[in-house]
Amino acid sequence: MSGTLLIVDDDAVQRRLLEAMARRFGYEPIVMDGGEQAVELLSQPDRGGVDLMLLDLVMPDLDGFAVLERLKKAGIDVPVVVQTANGSIDTIISAMRAGAADFVVKPVGPERFQVSVRNALRARELEGEVRRIGKRQSNRLSFDDIQTRSETMQAALHLGRRAASSNIPVLLEGETGTGKDVFARAIHASSERAGKPFVAVNCGAIPANLVESVLFGHERGAFTGATEKHAGKFVEAHGGTLFLDEVGDLPPEAQVKLLRVLQDGEVDPVGGKKAVRVDIRVVSATNQSLIDKVKQGSFREDLYYRLGVFPVGIPPLRQRASDIRMLARLFLARFAAEEGRPVRSIAPAALALLENYPWPGNVRQLENAVFRAVVLAENSELTTAEFPQIASALGVSSELTMPAVPEPEKPAQPPVPAKNIVRGLALTKPDGHVRPLEEIERDVISHALNHYEGQMTEIARRLGIGRSTLYRKLSDLNLTDTPCGAPDTTPPEAAA
Ligand SMILES: Nc1ncnc2c1ncn2[C@@H]1O[C@H](COP(=O)(O)OP(=O)(O)OP(=O)(O)O)[C@@H](O)[C@H]1O
Ligand SMILES: [Mg+2]
């Protein structure tokens, strides 16, 4: 797991100890010596990028309890693990009541540290997921719920936010499974129409002869089978947002009628005598190039210009490789909880596999792949063996992953510099003789695997070797599927 840890302690020795431990387990530490500073950082809009705070309870300026209280008052929601010197039950209970997620007793050992931090981060991830699902069902899913580390996606979200504040028709363009649906809901939820209906229509899924009636409604008896009057999606969405999914699939007659509704703000139900006024905001989506359809003559140019006033391109997952591991972990946490399976992490080699796959089905395909892997998993960690389709699509055995697509966008977070490699690596054995080269190489590579969380491109670059050489060495040294933080990948000073 990765993340940014804010370490707050007035004792310099403790700070150094925790900082080193955080780095060792692959977290990015921010270190502070007092509570005031910490509250200030966490009060920033992005909470200073902090994923978790390790907070000392006894400090001279603002103590741990006061920090917790201030955060609560300000509605700042960040998981906190408190450190206590005495471990008295009363202190611990008070801290947990004040909002701490967990506690550790000083001086904390590496194992307790890792377990406590990991659990608190995981619980947070899960809470976020549960909130998102609930919000999606109640149409309150906002842009803040769409998590991304990719700049291209952030740019798209920025456009979406801007569009949401006006009534401008938005056209979402993106491959299947990129999140157009999620995006459309976020636009609605972030707009003034949030409390009003959000009505989604999949234009490609309605039989051609029923499109008009479904969209615009019909009077009783308008056609054979029309036994009841039907309002139609436009009327249903009155006051709110109408999401026209796969709008490129609308048949020509429906396109004409849609254009008229958009121009006049009125719908004519099939077989009806009177037009009905509607107040709607239209968001449409397409996974095919609409302009190409215009060129081919299957989509009306005038309608294209009406719908596509504000186009937003949602990048495919392969162009936002930095999102793959984040989403994979998110889905892992969700499915493990939903399925009640004790799966907790993804092995570095499996993450590398996921990051190298081109994901033609985008986020939905990744979601399904992780779901399947969670169900298949026999251990607490997902390995390449749980992603057999992905492995075979990449043309490799699921024991070993090979790069198959262009370089990913860039690593999610710049990994911390590996300061302790040479310092901690023993060159001689206790008997005074030099250690075999292969052993030293193994130590260096497993350290790098752990340190860069299995980001193969980065590891190869740092080690100054090609990726294929790296994969070969992993195989030769039997290092495939070694998990982060497992005993055989602990830093060399521990292994030596
Ligand atoms: N940023 C995200 N975080 C979490 N889940 C996401 C994200 N983006 C997409 N998803 C999930 O991926 C799946 C596909 O998303 P969505 O249905 O929005 O895609 P789409 O672009 O509308 O696909 P299609 O073109 O096939 O209709 C959904 O289950 C959605 O919840
Ligand atoms: Mg969709």
Side-chain angles (χ1 to χ4, degrees):
M1 240 177 156
S2 60
T4 300
L5 305 192
L6 173 60
I7 295 163
V8 189
D9 201 313
D10 58 318
D11 178 347
V13 177
Q14 284 293 327
R15 286 200 300 272
R16 266 208 301 281
L17 191 90
L18 292 169
E19 185 181 5
M21 235 183 271
R23 286 200 195 284
R24 174 173 166 190
F25 289 114
Y27 301 107
E28 180 76 54
I30 301 178
V31 184
M32 289 183 171
D33 60 7
E36 288 285 359
Q37 255 185 312
V39 172
E40 200 175 303
L41 178 72
L42 293 171
S43 305
Q44 291 175 10
D46 65 344
R47 289 198 248 102
V50 172
D51 295 304
L52 180 141
M53 172 162 59
L54 269 156
L55 177 67
D56 186 20
L57 279 183
V58 186
M59 290 185 293
D61 73 331
L62 194 64
D63 75 6
F65 284 109
V67 170
L68 286 171
E69 199 173 304
R70 288 249 205 119
L71 296 182
K72 201 180 234 173
K73 254 197 199 131
I76 298 166
D77 193 20
V78 68
V80 180
V81 174
V82 295
Q83 308 178 65
T84 77
N86 58 19
S88 94
I89 292 289
D90 286 347
T91 315
I92 291 163
I93 290 177
S94 315
M96 304 291 269
R97 283 220 175 107
D102 197 5
F103 70 93
V104 294
V105 178
K106 287 196 211 182
V108 58
E111 262 164 41
R112 175 74 183 120
F113 172 93
Q114 169 70 331
V115 167
S116 177
V117 167
R118 202 164 49 189
N119 286 349
L121 286 174
R122 208 167 269 141
R124 177 48 50 108
E125 225 168 52
L126 212 56
E127 277 169 29
E129 225 2 50
V130 169
R131 254 200 308 268
R132 265 191 294 280
I133 294 167
K135 280 185 179 178
R136 183 174 187 160
Q137 276 157 1
S138 56
N139 280 334
R140 284 183 297 113
L141 193 98
S142 76
F143 283 107
D144 294 336
D145 297 301
I146 304 178
Q147 292 190 7
T148 184
R149 289 186 165 155
S150 132
E151 277 170 28
T152 35
M153 188 65 179
Q154 263 156 13
L157 291 175
H158 177 71
L159 281 177
R161 282 201 176 91
R162 294 295 295 267
S165 57
S166 84
N167 244 339
I168 196 164
V170 177
L171 175 64
L172 302 172
E173 296 178 295
E175 290 178 13
T176 181
T178 44
K180 297 184 295 295
D181 203 284
V182 175
F183 219 93
R185 286 172 199 274
I187 291 178
H188 174 71
S190 315
S191 76
E192 283 174 359
R193 298 170 177 263
K196 302 284 169 51
F198 173 89
V199 177
V201 199
N202 186 340
C203 303
I206 319 168
N209 60 339
L210 289 180
V211 171
E212 290 186 36
S213 138
V214 168
L215 288 181
F216 313 117
H218 61 243
E219 287 296 328
R220 192 174 152 201
F223 49 88
T224 323
T227 51
E228 293 293 335
K229 179 181 164 154
H230 168 70
K233 297 292 179 187
F234 273 82
V235 172
E236 238 179 81
H238 180 63
T241 304
L242 182 66
F243 177 43
L244 297 172
D245 205 358
E246 306 306 348
V247 74
D249 291 342
L250 273 185
E253 315 79 64
Q255 289 181 29
V256 180
K257 225 169 162 182
L258 173 60
L259 183 67
R260 218 166 41 229
V261 176
L262 296 178
Q263 281 166 344
D264 306 343
E266 287 182 345
V267 289
D268 294 308
V270 179
K273 293 185 192 73
K274 248 181 43 204
V276 185
R277 273 216 82 73
V278 285
D279 163 31
I280 47 153
R281 196 264 174 88
V282 176
V283 175
S284 35
T286 175
N287 57 29
Q288 327 154 35
S289 164
L290 217 47
I291 195 72
D292 282 353
K293 291 205 132 201
V294 171
K295 285 183 195 145
Q296 291 155 14
S298 60
F299 200 81
R300 293 182 64 101
E301 190 171 5
D302 43 10
L303 181 58
Y304 172 75
Y305 288 117
R306 275 263 161 196
L307 295 175
V309 183
F310 198 96
V312 178
I314 305 183
L317 192 54
R318 65 184 164 281
Q319 279 173 21
R320 37 178 165 131
S322 48
D323 279 354
I324 294 176
R325 68 176 49 212
M326 182 202 72
L327 288 170
R329 286 180 172 142
L330 205 75
F331 295 142
L332 168 69
R334 188 216 294 173
F335 292 126
E338 275 178 16
E339 298 296 307
R341 311 251 334 161
V343 189
R344 294 286 170 262
S345 58
I346 309 180
L351 274 176
L353 184 80
L354 300 183
E355 283 183 334
N356 279 299
Y357 182 71
W359 299 108
N362 294 292
V363 185
R364 180 181 299 108
Q365 190 187 5
L366 175 63
E367 193 176 11
N368 291 338
V370 175
F371 183 23
R372 187 174 185 284
V374 166
V375 173
L376 272 179
E378 306 210 338
N379 298 308
S380 67
E381 182 165 69
L382 297 183
T383 66
T384 52
E386 273 84 46
F387 298 97
Q389 280 109 335
I390 308 295
S392 78
L394 286 179
V396 294
S397 86
S398 52
E399 298 303 308
L400 187 65
T401 67
M402 294 296 284
V405 288
E407 297 282 290
E409 192 177 56
K410 62 178 170 188
Q413 280 182 338
V416 287
K419 283 190 198 134
N420 49 352
I421 286 187
V422 170
R423 194 167 30 83
L425 183 66
L427 299 176
T428 49
K429 291 187 282 192
D431 64 5
H433 286 291
V434 170
R435 294 175 67 208
L437 214 49
E438 189 184 305
E439 249 183 65
I440 295 177
E441 187 177 62
R442 190 176 198 281
D443 280 353
V444 173
I445 295 180
S446 39
H447 178 76
L449 261 183
N450 199 25
H451 198 83
Y452 297 106
E453 288 199 280
Q455 295 174 37
M456 296 310 192
T457 309
E458 182 70 3
I459 294 170
R461 194 163 73 85
R462 295 285 165 190
L463 293 175
I465 55 176
R467 278 206 294 187
S468 43
T469 310
L470 174 61
Y471 282 106
R472 187 170 42 73
K473 283 183 186 294
L474 289 180
S475 168
D476 290 348
L477 298 168
N478 234 345
L479 281 172
T480 47
D481 282 347
T482 14
C484 271
D488 50 351
T489 53
T490 43
E493 68 265 36

